[in-house]
Amino acid sequence: MLNIWVVMPTCLPLVLRRCHTCASGTFRASGKFRVNAHHKLIDVWLLVLCTGCGETAKLTVLERVNVRSVRPDLLDRLHDNNLALTAELLQDPVVRRRNRIALDWDGAWRLDTGDSDHLDREAMDVSVRFAAPIPVRPVRLIAEGCGLPRAEVERLLADGQLVSAARLNGKLSGDFTFTLKRQEGRPGTVPPRTGLI
């Protein structure tokens, strides 16, 4: 039986960017946009606030774009300071590259494993889905989802009891699957049935 785990954002991530006023390196998205129109051209910025001094900085979303090329529903969301749009734009790689920023997701996500009755099974197949492109270490996710110490998960990986087509000891921000096989005599495990792969 395939178990579905979901990595879900719980709030907006911090923006990693050096403040020009103080020594802080993080900003918090305000959820507000500044929209300026110059005749037929439009500029749009996402406003972020320094976590150290509160200074406002602008992240460029649109620059000198013809207003007719912007979808009316997008303009409405910008004028309404739509929070979901803020989240979408922070995750947009084009916006991040244009503004030379990175995101800090620490404390801004959670793992939903659904039912926890899978923890006592001898073998389990898990599909991990990402509701947002949040870079996390699969070893950390598996440890949290299975209630195991991270060192134990790393041992299972080294022993070939934890397998995946994805690289599990780096960081991932996209969907992956893994299989965990348990052996007799290990903490928190039960003996495997004959014939299990």
Side-chain angles (χ1 to χ4, degrees):
M1 178 178 158
L2 184 66
N3 296 278
I4 307 295
W5 293 1
V6 183
V7 178
M8 306 180 67
T10 55
C11 60
L12 293 174
L14 291 176
V15 175
L16 298 176
R17 172 181 171 153
R18 183 64 51 200
C19 180
H20 297 299
T21 305
C22 73
S24 174
T26 56
F27 283 75
R28 186 174 307 284
S30 68
K32 295 185 178 178
F33 296 92
R34 180 170 293 162
V35 180
N36 283 353
H38 308 280
H39 304 294
K40 295 179 180 178
L41 300 178
I42 190 171
D43 292 309
V44 177
W45 299 276
L46 171 61
L47 303 181
V48 292
L49 305 173
C50 175
T51 58
C53 66
E55 182 74 17
T56 300
K58 299 186 295 187
L59 304 181
T60 301
V61 176
L62 298 175
E63 191 171 30
R64 295 286 190 247
V65 173
N66 190 304
V67 71
R68 289 188 179 190
S69 68
V70 181
R71 297 185 329 268
D73 65 311
L74 176 57
L75 277 176
D76 289 342
R77 294 174 78 194
L78 290 166
H79 286 299
D80 292 341
N81 292 315
N82 185 284
L83 197 58
L85 179 59
T86 297
E88 289 171 29
L89 290 171
L90 284 176
Q91 295 167 33
D92 186 332
V94 174
V95 172
R96 291 202 311 268
R97 275 195 305 273
R98 179 184 292 144
N99 292 281
R100 296 185 183 95
I101 61 168
L103 302 179
D104 179 1
W105 283 96
D106 281 353
W109 61 273
R110 68 180 174 84
L111 177 64
D112 182 1
T113 60
D115 297 331
S116 52
D117 63 348
H118 61 273
L119 297 179
D120 59 355
R121 294 190 190 139
E122 298 122 23
M124 62 180 191
D125 295 309
V126 178
S127 175
V128 180
R129 312 248 171 97
F130 286 75
I134 302 169
V136 293
R137 295 188 182 281
V139 167
R140 176 183 174 186
L141 283 182
I142 295 165
E144 183 178 324
C146 294
L148 296 171
R150 198 177 304 186
E152 176 69 7
V153 173
E154 288 171 353
R155 187 200 58 75
L156 291 167
L157 182 60
D159 290 352
Q161 293 173 258
L162 174 60
V163 294
S164 175
R167 189 168 166 263
L168 297 180
N169 48 9
K171 278 194 175 182
L172 290 176
S173 57
D175 299 355
F176 69 97
T177 59
F178 70 88
T179 299
L180 176 61
K181 300 169 281 185
R182 302 174 184 235
Q183 288 182 350
E184 186 176 6
R186 296 295 185 184
T189 63
V190 294
R193 288 194 301 266
T194 307
L196 276 180
I197 294 173

